[in-house]
Amino acid sequence: MKTRTVTRKQLVPHTVDGHTELVLAEFEIELPRPPRDWDSIVRAGVTVIACALVTVSLVWTTASIGDLLSLAAVAAVAYAAGVAFDLTWIMCMGVEWLLRYDPDRAALAKRAGNVALLISMAAVFAHGRYFGQWPVGAAGAAVSLLAKGGWTIAMRAHARPLDSRTAQWVAKRRAAVDGQLAMIPVRRELLRGEALVEAERQARIAESGGSADPDRPGPSADRPDPSAAVRPNRSLTTKDAVRKVWDRGIREADPAVREIVQLLGRPVSPDTVERYLRDLRAEAS
C-alpha cells in the first residue's frame, strides 16, 4: 500500500533551568495514500477542454464577425459587437446550468441559446461567403457548433438527475425559500417608506409648532410650552432607543421604528433598528 508523509504538531513539555513549558513540536507520520480518483480527474479534464472550446469559438467568431461588420463601422465598434454573438449563447448555457433542477425555467434559456447559436453560425458563414471562401465560412461556423456541443456534454457529466418526486420536493422547497427572499426587499421598502412618512410628519409638526401626538393633551395654561415639537435628543443613541422600546415589550420593527423616532426626534434607518432587534432576540433566546 502506498503511503504519504504528513507533518503534525503536538504540544510537548520542555524544561529549561527547571521551568517546564508546553511547546509545539513537529513530527512526521506515515498515512495510507488514497487511490487516485480517475473519475474526478476525467471530469475536470472534460471541463477544461469544454472551456477551451468555448474560448476558441469566442475568439474565432469575434474575429470573423468583427471583420464583416468593419465594412460598415469603425473596427473597434465592429469587433466589440462581434463579441455579443457568442457571448449570448454562452450566457444562456450558464443560465441553463443554474436552472438545471428547474426544467420549466431552464427551457427558455435552452431555446434562446440555440437561436443565438444559429445566428452566430449564420454570421460566420456569411463572412466567408462574402469574401468568396464559403468552405472557410462553413468550417468557422462549425467551431461554434462544436463548442456548444462540447459544453453541453460537459454539463451532462456534472449533472445530477432527480427523480420525479424529488424534483417536486425541490420545487416546493425552492418556492417557499424564494418567497421568503422576495419579501426581504419588500419589507425593507415598506420600512423605509414608513420612516420617510414619519420624518415628513415630524418635519411638518416642527414647522407648525404643533404637538407630535394629536391625542396627547396640549400644554397647561399655567406652564405654557413655547414649542410642542419633538426636539432631537442628541444624548440618546439609536441602540439605546431600541433597548428602551424592547423593555416596553415592543418586538416588531414597524412599531419600534415609530417609537424610536418619537424618542430620538429624528428619522432612523429601519435596517439598523431591525439589526439591533435581531441582536436582542438572540440574547433573549
Side-chain angles (χ1 to χ4, degrees):
M1 177 182 294
K2 295 183 179 180
T3 60
R4 55 193 176 99
T5 303
V6 179
T7 302
R8 297 288 176 84
K9 293 182 179 181
Q10 183 179 356
L11 288 173
V12 297
H14 182 67
T15 304
V16 177
D17 294 335
H19 297 282
T20 303
E21 299 289 346
L22 292 177
V23 298
L24 283 175
E26 294 185 353
F27 60 97
E28 295 181 348
I29 60 174
E30 296 292 329
L31 295 179
R33 184 184 298 274
R36 192 177 298 274
D37 188 356
W38 288 106
D39 288 347
S40 298
I41 295 174
V42 173
R43 188 178 294 111
V46 168
T47 305
V48 171
I49 294 173
C51 293
L53 288 174
V54 171
T55 303
V56 171
S57 173
L58 181 62
V59 173
W60 178 264
T61 301
T62 302
S64 298
I65 300 179
D67 187 33
L68 181 64
L69 296 178
S70 63
L71 298 174
V74 181
V77 178
Y79 283 95
V83 177
F85 284 80
D86 264 10
L87 278 185
T88 303
W89 64 259
I90 293 173
M91 180 195 70
C92 291
M93 293 195 68
V95 175
E96 183 182 350
W97 168 257
L98 293 176
L99 301 177
R100 61 190 180 278
Y101 297 127
D102 194 346
D104 294 336
R105 296 173 62 191
L108 177 60
K110 185 175 182 179
R111 290 195 299 269
N114 292 334
V115 172
L117 175 64
L118 292 176
I119 294 174
S120 178
M121 293 174 62
V124 173
F125 180 77
H127 172 260
R129 181 71 175 176
Y130 180 82
F131 288 99
Q133 299 176 345
W134 67 265
V136 175
V143 172
S144 296
L145 181 62
L146 291 174
K148 190 175 189 304
W151 190 252
T152 301
I153 294 174
M155 287 199 306
R156 289 184 178 275
H158 289 276
R160 296 292 182 269
L162 301 177
D163 60 89
S164 177
R165 292 188 177 184
T166 305
Q168 294 179 47
W169 183 90
V170 171
K172 289 182 179 296
R173 293 295 300 171
R174 180 184 288 112
V177 174
D178 288 347
Q180 296 175 8
L181 292 175
M183 288 304 299
I184 293 176
V186 173
R187 292 194 185 97
R188 289 179 178 175
E189 182 181 358
L190 293 175
L191 290 174
R192 284 193 296 266
E194 291 177 358
L196 290 175
V197 171
E198 184 65 23
E200 176 70 15
R201 189 178 73 86
Q202 294 292 337
R204 292 186 179 277
I205 291 174
E207 292 177 358
S208 62
S211 173
D213 189 352
D215 298 330
R216 183 179 298 172
S220 172
D222 298 333
R223 301 178 62 185
D225 186 0
S227 177
V230 178
R231 299 178 182 275
N233 189 344
R234 304 297 182 185
S235 62
L236 188 64
T237 64
T238 303
K239 186 175 183 179
D240 295 335
V242 173
R243 173 68 70 174
K244 285 181 177 292
V245 300
W246 178 272
D247 294 337
R248 295 178 186 176
I250 300 176
R251 301 292 187 265
E252 299 298 329
D254 294 350
V257 170
R258 291 192 290 269
E259 289 293 329
I260 292 170
V261 170
Q262 291 289 338
L263 290 173
L264 300 178
R266 62 179 184 272
V268 295
S269 171
D271 294 339
T272 302
V273 174
E274 177 64 30
R275 185 174 68 254
Y276 287 142
L277 287 175
R278 188 164 55 249
D279 294 340
L280 292 173
R281 295 190 194 102
E283 294 177 4
S285 60

